[in-house]
């Protein structure tokens, strides 16, 4: 797969997506070793540097790999280390983060044998920088702090300047802006004393971003002016151009905060980008030229000068094509589509958006983990592309009189949302192959005639409901803004957990009016009994079963299921004949978590109904679970324990008797089923929870089963009364014995049983159970 490059190097350059080569490696200053450029290895090193300078990362990587092998063969370890570090930078330029890490880890192992901390420290810094670019902050912090400690002990100003800049970015990513500013300011001081003028300018730019976040736009402008002044004396180079682009984008971000200086700031931004483009063109660096022209095109777009914007964007697009740079090409295809749409050229705009989506498709997940305009802020950079494309397709459907052609546009809009769902799941798990076990693309004629699939798509100004019915695709637009809808969703989620009040009811009814009532006529006419939702954003955090029409809950009318994407779902009925369970759980208090005494009832009910094996309390350990899953032939895995799903997959876990089972470990364990003829049919996670308002955590809830290859999952949005949970789970498994019932209907009947009990009728007890992925 092609991979995207990152905006992180000795510093992160705002808005760019390439790894910045440090023209003079800090650690080489401590070596007497010099390269004999007339030797094959020396020539390869030189050719690699020339290729990198003009943005040809693949060519540079090839040369530096060759040099590394030659140095290895001749026993020249210091030179081999340098080749490995440069290879890592080229790999990151291509977005190949795993390969970059491997090169640096090998380099680290080689230099640790020498025992020279000034050689070791920069490599630790490079490792930290890559993890910083990948947004893996604990690993980044560990390596950067080691590098900083060595630099401080050795009083190495160049290394201190570099590492402090990276630590400043780390603090900013943690929203610790004052700490970040202190680190950037100290970095500037060290960079100036070491004569690293480019680094000083870039660190000033990073400080300017933080000052803006701290509400100090005037000081931010001063820092940017200083950064620009310090770049003026440097000769043209690729690094110089990148520094200019970073400053220009910071000026552009500053402009809305200083409305009285709008015109001068726009002129300065344009001038700096034009200067960067001129230098890049002189250097033959089309990759950097693409960014300078593209951002200049965006600047003209924001000033409503569309003719110039279109011209510049097309030039940026051609430059990116010339050097096969998909990480910028998709951006300018997208930008061109946006500009064409703004000028009323709808069909051409859709074509350009589709080209951007195709360019993006094979690119690895690194893209979504980097911010477009600010390295210190994480944001989803992929979602707007797919949602804007869907919006254009919906507009085109509205303008199309032919019903069949209009439905084609609706199907394309649905496919755009599905494409985003896959990309989003890859991003959450930081894994390109998260959907490798998915079924072939599901066709809607394979769905049961009593099932409707609903896509609620939240646009800023409206809610679109795309509904797939046995009769075809139906679209309904609801006039509610995303902001208002999200506000009601958050309040509903907060209030519905309160078991002693009915404060949630108005919100449950309002959400019903927006999400379900517009669909009722079609659902009734076609005798639909099961609704499958493909929710987005905040909608993933609420129990749709508890929506209320004024007289009854949604679960009274329909069996419900959720899936992160229909094309990610394997819609085959449950094979009950071969269903054998492994049950694991805790009844006792461990690691400070309260006991779950009714877990014993859950386990016993499964044992009565199905063939099963148990791992309870001290038997429930990761090593034992792995052994059972490896040796047994289970169709179902039921885990009843405390667990938490978080925004970051690395912070999510299930509690075991002796530790915590991370999502990565769970994936590896369940992944044992991937290579068997029959995958895991059902994964049940009982007594788990996600955070209120944590949209990505709910994504992990569904995604962990999907990534691991389980067809279905049953899980909860929040921690539930232990006895109520045991009752519902037991009834679900009892209903599941009936081959005439789908998993969705079995859950519906279990929820209705609790609803009919006066003790458990409040939805806090029964509604947070979600059936995920395959509902049949």
């Amino acid at each position: 797969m092609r991979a995207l490059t990152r905006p992180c190097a000795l510093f992160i350059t705002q808005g760019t997506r390439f790894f910045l080569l440090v023209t003079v490696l800090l650690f080489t200053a401590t070596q007497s070793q010099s390269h004999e450029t007339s030797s094959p290895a020396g020539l390869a090193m030189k050719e690699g540097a020339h290729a990198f300078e003009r943005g040809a990362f693949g060519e540079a990587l090839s040369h530096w790999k060759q040099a590394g092998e030659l140095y290895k063969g001749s026993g020249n370890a210091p030179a081999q280390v340098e080749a490995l570090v440069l290879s890592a930078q080229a790999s990151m330029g291509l977005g190949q983060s795993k390969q970059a890490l491997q090169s640096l880890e090998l380099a680290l192992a080689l230099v640790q044998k020498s025992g020279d901390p000034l050689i070791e420290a920069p490599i630790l810094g490079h490792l930290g920088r890559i993890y910083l670019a990948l947004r893996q902050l604990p690993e980044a912090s560990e390596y950067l702090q080691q590098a900083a400690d060595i630099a401080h002990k050795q009083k190495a100003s160049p290394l201190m300047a570099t590492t402090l800049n990276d630590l400043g970015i780390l603090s900013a990513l943690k929203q610790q802006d004052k700490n970040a500013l202190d680190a950037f300011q100290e970095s500037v001081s060290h960079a100036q004393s070491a004569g690293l003028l480019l680094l000083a300018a870039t660190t000033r730019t990073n400080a300017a971003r933080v000052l803006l976040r701290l509400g100090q736009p005037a000081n931010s402008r001063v820092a940017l002016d200083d950064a620009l002044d310090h770049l003026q004396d440097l000769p043209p180079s690729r690094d110089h151009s990148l520094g200019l682009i970073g400053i220009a984008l910071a000026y552009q971000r500053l402009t809305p905060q200083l409305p009285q200086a709008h015109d001068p700031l726009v002129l300065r931004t344009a001038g700096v980008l034009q200067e960067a483009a001129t230098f890049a063109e002189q250097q033959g660096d089309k990759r950097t030229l693409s960014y300078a022209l593209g951002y200049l095109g965006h600047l003209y777009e924001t000033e409503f000068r569309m003719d110039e914007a279109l011209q510049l964007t097309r030039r940026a697009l051609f430059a990116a094509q010339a050097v096969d740079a998909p990480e910028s090409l998709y951006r300018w295809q997208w930008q061109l589509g946006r500009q064409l749409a703004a000028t009323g050229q709808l069909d051409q705009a859709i074509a350009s958006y589709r080209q951007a989506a195709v360019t993006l498709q094979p690119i690895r997940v690194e893209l979504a983990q980097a911010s477009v305009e600010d390295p210190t802020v994480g944001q989803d950079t992929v979602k707007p592309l797919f949602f804007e494309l869907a919006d254009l397709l919906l507009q085109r459907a509205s303008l199309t009189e032919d019903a069949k052609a209009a439905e084609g546009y609706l199907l394309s809009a649905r496919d755009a949302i599905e494409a985003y769902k896959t990309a989003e799941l890859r991003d959450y798990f930081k894994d390109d192959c998260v959907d490798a076990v998915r079924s072939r693309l599901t066709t809607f004629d394979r769905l049961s005639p009593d099932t409707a699939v609903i896509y609620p798509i939240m646009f800023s100004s409206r809610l679109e409901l795309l509904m797939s019915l046995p009769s075809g695709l139906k679209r309904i637009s609801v006039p509610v803004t995303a902001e208002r809808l999200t506000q009601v969703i958050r309040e509903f989620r907060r209030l519905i957990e309160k078991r002693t009040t009915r404060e949630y009811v108005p919100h449950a009814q309002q959400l019903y009016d927006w999400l379900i009532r517009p669909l009722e006529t079609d659902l009734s006419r076609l005798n639909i009994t099961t609704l499958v939702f493909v929710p987005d954003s905040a909608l993933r955090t609420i129990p749709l079963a508890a929506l209320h029409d004024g007289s009854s809950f949604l679960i009274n009318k329909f069996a419900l299921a959720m899936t992160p994407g229909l094309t990610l779902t394997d819609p085959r009925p449950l094979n009950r004949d071969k269903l054998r369970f492994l049950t694991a759980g805790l009844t006792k208090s461990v690691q400070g978590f309260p006991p779950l005494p009714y877990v014993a009832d859950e386990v016993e009910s499964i044992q009565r109904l199905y063939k099963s094996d148990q791992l309870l309390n001290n038997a429930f350990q990761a090593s034992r679970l792995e052994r059972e899953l490896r040796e047994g032939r289970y169709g179902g895995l039921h885990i009843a324990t405390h667990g938490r799903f978080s925004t970051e997959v690395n912070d999510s876990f299930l509690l075991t008797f002796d530790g915590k089972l991370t999502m990565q470990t769970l994936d590896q364990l369940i992944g044992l089923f991937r290579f068997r003829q029959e995958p895991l049919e059902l994964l049940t996670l009982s007594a788990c929870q996600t955070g209120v308002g944590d949209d990505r955590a709910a994504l992990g809830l569904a995604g962990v089963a999907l990534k691991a290859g389980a067809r279905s999952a049953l899980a909860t949005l929040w921690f539930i009364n232990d006895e109520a949970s045991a009752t519902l789970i037991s009834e679900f498994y009892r209903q599941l014995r009936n081959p005439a019932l789908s998993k969705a209907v079995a859950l519906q009947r279990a929820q209705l049983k609790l609803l009919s009990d006066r003790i458990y009728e409040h939805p806090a007890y029964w509604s947070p159970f979600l059936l995920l992925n395959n509902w049949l």
Side-chain angles (χ1 to χ4, degrees), residues 557-715:
K557 300 179 179 181
F558 302 100
L560 302 170
M562 293 172 63
T563 175
L566 200 65
T567 58
L568 297 168
T569 302
D570 185 3
R572 281 184 278 179
L574 182 66
N575 186 345
R576 290 165 174 81
D577 296 334
K578 298 181 180 180
L579 194 58
R580 181 183 172 208
F581 273 88
L582 175 63
T583 59
L586 299 172
T587 63
K588 300 176 181 178
S589 172
V590 296
Q591 302 173 52
F593 286 81
L596 297 167
Y598 285 93
V599 164
D601 292 346
E602 286 186 31
V603 171
E604 186 180 342
S605 68
I606 296 171
Q607 195 165 26
R608 285 198 307 268
L609 295 166
Y610 302 91
K611 297 175 182 177
S612 67
D613 297 314
Q614 301 177 14
L615 296 176
L616 276 182
N617 295 322
N618 60 349
F620 179 29
Q621 300 184 24
S623 57
R624 179 79 183 275
L625 181 64
E626 178 180 5
R627 187 164 67 249
E628 288 292 335
L629 290 175
R630 192 177 296 278
E631 297 174 359
R633 300 198 65 82
Y634 299 105
L637 174 59
H638 179 100
I639 301 179
T641 182
H642 291 284
R644 183 170 295 120
F645 288 86
S646 173
T647 298
E648 291 296 327
V649 67
N650 293 332
D651 297 331
S652 302
F653 68 89
L654 298 174
L655 196 70
T656 62
F657 185 81
D658 60 341
K660 291 178 180 177
L661 198 63
T662 65
M663 293 304 98
Q664 181 180 6
T665 307
L666 185 62
D667 166 40
Q668 292 168 351
L669 296 181
I670 304 173
L672 296 169
F673 289 83
R674 288 181 183 174
F675 308 106
R676 298 182 183 177
Q677 189 172 359
E678 291 298 323
L680 189 66
E681 291 279 2
L682 177 63
L683 169 66
T684 300
L685 302 175
S686 178
C688 299
Q689 62 181 318
T690 64
V692 176
D694 198 337
D695 304 347
R696 283 172 61 87
L699 176 71
L701 202 66
V704 66
L706 177 67
K707 182 174 185 285
R711 284 182 176 154
S712 304
L714 179 65

Side-chain angles (χ1 to χ4, degrees), residues 510-527:
Q510 179 64 81
L511 290 171
Y512 187 97
D513 289 343
W514 286 332
L515 293 164
I516 307 298
R517 203 173 298 282
L519 313 175
E520 283 183 328
T521 301
D522 290 299
L523 296 174
S524 175
R525 176 175 55 86
L526 294 169
N527 298 314

